Amino acid sequence: MAAKPKLCYFRGRGRMESIRWLLAAAGVEFEEEFIETREQYEKLQKDGRLLFGQVPLVEMDGMVLTQTKAILSYLAAKYDLYGKDLKERVRVDMYADGTLDLMMMIALAAFKTPGEKEENLALVVKKAKTCYFPAFEKILKDHGEDFLVGNKFSWADVQLLEAILMVEELDASVLSDFPLLKVVCEQPHKAQEAMNRDKDFSKICLQAFKTRISSIPTIKKFLQPGSQRKLPPDSHYVKTVRKVLQL
Amino acid sequence: MAAKPKLYYFDGRGRMEPIRWLLAAAGVEFEEEFLETSKDLEKLRNDGSLMFQQVPMVEIDGMKLVQCRAILNYIAAKYNLYGKDTKERALIDMYIEGVADLNEMYLFWSISPPNEQAAKMTQMKDKIANCYLPAFEKVLKSHGQDYVVGNRLSRADIHLVELLYTVDELDPSLLANFPLLKALKARISNLPNVKKFLQPGSPRKPPMDEKCLAKVKEIFQLK
């Protein structure tokens, strides 16, 4: 029987979290080795397991893989979450890359000074509200399907859900600012009108997307407490990372 | 006949250059529309042409593609420069992501204020000499083949050689201790499509100069 993938990273989200999400979504069990000391890190480097001296590191299928996007693409292809052809694949790539950009801004903000951090996170929420989420809402609205690409669950859906939840941790109201959704939330008596106007309304907005993807069994399991999902970065995490990477 | 791909960006390297290299290496002719002012960028945004309001954008095969990685992945797969299977692809991806990280450093260095550039340059040279070049030299040494992955031309060779040209521009002495990389650079440069791209008058762009930097700052409203 094939060995489980083994993830090596800090005990926190950082650049590994999207990998955890994708493995979980694909229903793949994995093991984790957590880096806690500088010595551990130096040993990894000396052992030659880190091609460019960096983590994340994932060992699977006889390969020693680093570079987050390389790992994510491999997993998406392996578990059939990458669209059915090249044209669907490029859309999955576009959407996944966009959401990853957004999430990386949040991950990096944890390492800024308090004033800068607040400013950066406010910018992230603004970008999510004015640029990223409207783009995805439009995609869902235009095709009216349950999933972002090809009417089938893909890596793009996993990452969008991950991004939505991450931004909601910064601003719980972030999804409610969408015009269509605003009608439903603030003027429920007009909701029926809106829904009659647009029969598939309940299927097409981001809030509905979030609910739908969250209820996929593998995702639902990952969202339970006790799963391998990690918490937002706290001061202990930041301190550990700074110590290990000598930042 | 299929329309040529059309690239939307400013007249400079930035994040579009690897796309130009890859299309050229694949022997694909393309057109370019250059942003000259912030109004040009605004127009593209208002047209709904930019999914996340950003360039690069490439019109190809009836699609308006954004996000460099997505664009490069598409071109590489379409023109058979992405390895023969998912495992080769994973290796290629790992190597090119390293190249991309270094390109990011170079990009930020080129738009930094002059008083910050020296420190950034030192940091960059250190990474080039002690991390990236040794890693790639080691890969070539490990299999002794003419190409980085799978004993045939792939995007990994193109992106790496592009990087080696950049390194050479920054400081030729950085390549001195890496014979296999130097040989790869010479070999890939001799491929007809790449050779053509390296000639004057090709779509290849020069390094950032003051004039270009001023334009970039205006277009993207940078401080």
Side-chain angles (χ1 to χ4, degrees):
Chain A
M1 190 168 90
K4 292 180 189 171
K6 185 153 165 222
L7 278 50
C8 187
Y9 199 66
F10 310 103
R11 191 188 299 266
R13 291 180 179 178
R15 296 178 189 277
M16 187 63 101
E17 193 71 352
S18 293
I19 294 169
R20 296 183 185 108
W21 268 88
L22 191 52
L23 282 165
V28 178
E29 279 180 35
F30 55 92
E31 287 170 0
E32 299 196 74
E33 182 185 318
F34 296 116
I35 301 172
E36 249 120 40
T37 66
R38 175 77 190 170
E39 290 70 42
Q40 261 177 295
Y41 188 63
E42 283 177 352
K43 182 170 190 298
L44 279 170
Q45 288 176 313
K46 268 202 204 97
D47 287 349
R49 284 155 81 195
L50 307 179
L51 178 63
F52 302 117
Q54 296 168 324
V55 285
L57 166 67
V58 172
E59 288 171 302
M60 66 184 293
D61 299 342
M63 293 184 295
V64 179
L65 292 178
T66 56
Q67 296 294 132
T68 308
K69 296 191 190 196
I71 297 163
L72 287 167
S73 287
Y74 179 75
L75 292 173
K78 180 172 179 170
Y79 297 108
D80 198 24
L81 292 166
Y82 221 159
K84 71 175 195 290
D85 57 26
L86 201 49
K87 284 203 169 185
E88 283 194 356
R89 188 167 215 171
V90 75
R91 287 169 57 206
V92 174
D93 269 338
M94 259 198 303
Y95 306 161
D97 227 47
T99 48
L100 206 58
D101 281 352
L102 191 62
M103 290 191 284
M104 271 306 107
M105 279 186 244
I106 300 176
L108 292 171
F111 293 88
K112 307 274 184 204
T113 59
E116 247 186 326
K117 178 180 167 182
E118 226 177 274
E119 206 182 293
N120 284 9
L121 291 178
L123 182 62
V124 168
V125 174
K126 185 173 173 211
K127 285 201 173 211
K129 283 185 181 179
T130 59
C131 170
Y132 290 92
F133 291 168
F136 289 114
E137 172 127 320
K138 181 176 193 294
I139 291 167
L140 290 168
K141 195 171 170 194
D142 284 352
H143 60 48
E145 290 164 8
D146 281 356
F147 304 104
L148 284 169
V149 180
N151 208 13
K152 183 172 174 231
F153 184 53
S154 79
W155 172 28
D157 301 298
V158 181
Q159 280 213 194
L160 178 55
L161 176 62
E162 186 192 352
I164 288 171
L165 293 177
M166 223 184 250
V167 179
E168 276 186 336
E169 281 168 354
L170 301 175
D171 176 351
S173 72
V174 72
L175 283 193
S176 67
D177 274 13
F178 289 98
L180 275 179
L181 202 52
K182 217 170 162 90
V183 172
V184 171
C185 293
E186 290 182 0
Q187 298 171 292
H189 56 285
K190 289 204 174 173
Q192 192 58 54
E193 210 176 279
M195 277 155 83
N196 289 342
R197 233 184 0 248
D198 199 332
K199 269 199 327 193
D200 284 335
F201 170 74
S202 62
K203 282 173 68 181
I204 63 176
C205 63
L206 275 183
Q207 188 81 304
F209 174 84
K210 180 190 157 198
T211 307
R212 203 161 54 239
I213 305 302
S214 300
S215 56
I216 292 173
T218 51
I219 306 264
K220 192 170 183 178
K221 188 173 168 199
F222 189 63
L223 290 170
Q224 307 288 355
S227 81
Q228 283 160 299
R229 189 182 179 212
K230 301 294 176 279
L231 296 170
D234 60 12
S235 56
H236 173 76
Y237 171 77
V238 172
K239 209 165 139 199
T240 306
V241 175
R242 281 198 200 279
K243 178 183 69 174
V244 171
L245 299 182
Q246 294 187 337
L247 296 174
Chain B
M1 192 167 85
K4 291 182 193 173
K6 194 163 171 192
L7 279 48
Y8 293 77
Y9 203 60
F10 64 87
D11 189 359
R13 292 181 179 176
R15 294 179 191 287
M16 187 63 98
E17 195 72 350
I19 294 169
R20 297 182 183 108
W21 268 83
L22 193 58
L23 282 168
V28 178
E29 278 180 37
F30 54 91
E31 289 170 357
E32 301 199 72
E33 188 169 305
F34 297 121
L35 303 177
E36 298 287 337
T37 67
S38 53
K39 288 218 157 35
D40 293 336
L41 181 58
E42 221 180 287
K43 182 172 185 296
L44 275 179
R45 284 172 172 163
N46 293 340
D47 283 348
S49 298
L50 308 178
M51 186 180 168
F52 301 120
Q53 311 307 322
Q54 293 169 326
V55 285
M57 191 267 279
V58 173
E59 270 178 325
I60 183 171
D61 299 339
M63 300 179 290
K64 286 190 171 150
L65 300 181
V66 295
Q67 298 293 134
C68 299
R69 222 164 244 100
I71 297 166
L72 287 166
N73 288 1
Y74 181 79
I75 296 167
K78 180 175 177 173
Y79 296 103
N80 218 357
L81 291 166
Y82 221 156
K84 72 176 198 288
D85 57 28
T86 50
K87 282 198 170 186
E88 280 196 356
R89 198 183 160 132
L91 283 182
I92 289 170
D93 277 340
M94 195 169 41
Y95 301 153
I96 68 183
E97 284 300 315
V99 172
D101 282 349
L102 202 44
N103 282 339
E104 275 293 290
M105 255 185 256
Y106 174 72
L107 198 104
F108 283 112
W109 166 81
S110 67
I111 60 170
S112 313
N115 64 328
E116 283 177 30
Q117 281 199 329
K120 286 205 162 83
M121 174 62 90
T122 307
Q123 208 184 21
M124 207 169 32
K125 281 193 184 183
D126 174 56
K127 284 259 163 189
I128 289 170
N130 299 315
C131 171
Y132 291 99
L133 296 188
F136 290 122
E137 183 85 359
K138 192 174 167 192
V139 168
L140 289 172
K141 194 167 178 188
S142 72
H143 55 53
Q145 290 164 1
D146 280 357
Y147 301 100
V148 181
V149 176
N151 208 14
R152 69 177 192 141
L153 182 70
S154 78
R155 63 182 293 196
D157 304 291
I158 305 303
H159 299 318
L160 180 51
V161 167
E162 180 191 353
L163 178 68
L164 296 177
Y165 271 94
T166 305
V167 169
D168 200 46
E169 277 167 6
L170 292 176
D171 181 353
S173 74
L174 286 168
L175 282 172
N177 296 330
F178 302 101
L180 297 178
L181 286 175
K182 280 197 288 197
L184 178 78
K185 180 171 178 264
R187 218 164 34 241
I188 301 300
S189 302
N190 254 330
L191 296 173
N193 290 332
V194 179
K195 195 169 188 177
K196 188 174 165 195
F197 187 65
L198 290 166
Q199 306 290 351
S202 83
R204 187 179 177 216
K205 303 293 175 274
M208 180 85 82
D209 61 15
E210 259 178 56
K211 196 168 154 212
C212 185
L213 182 59
K215 206 190 273 187
V216 167
K217 287 188 170 174
E218 195 278 321
I219 292 171
F220 298 104
Q221 305 277 288
L222 301 172
K223 281 170 208 134

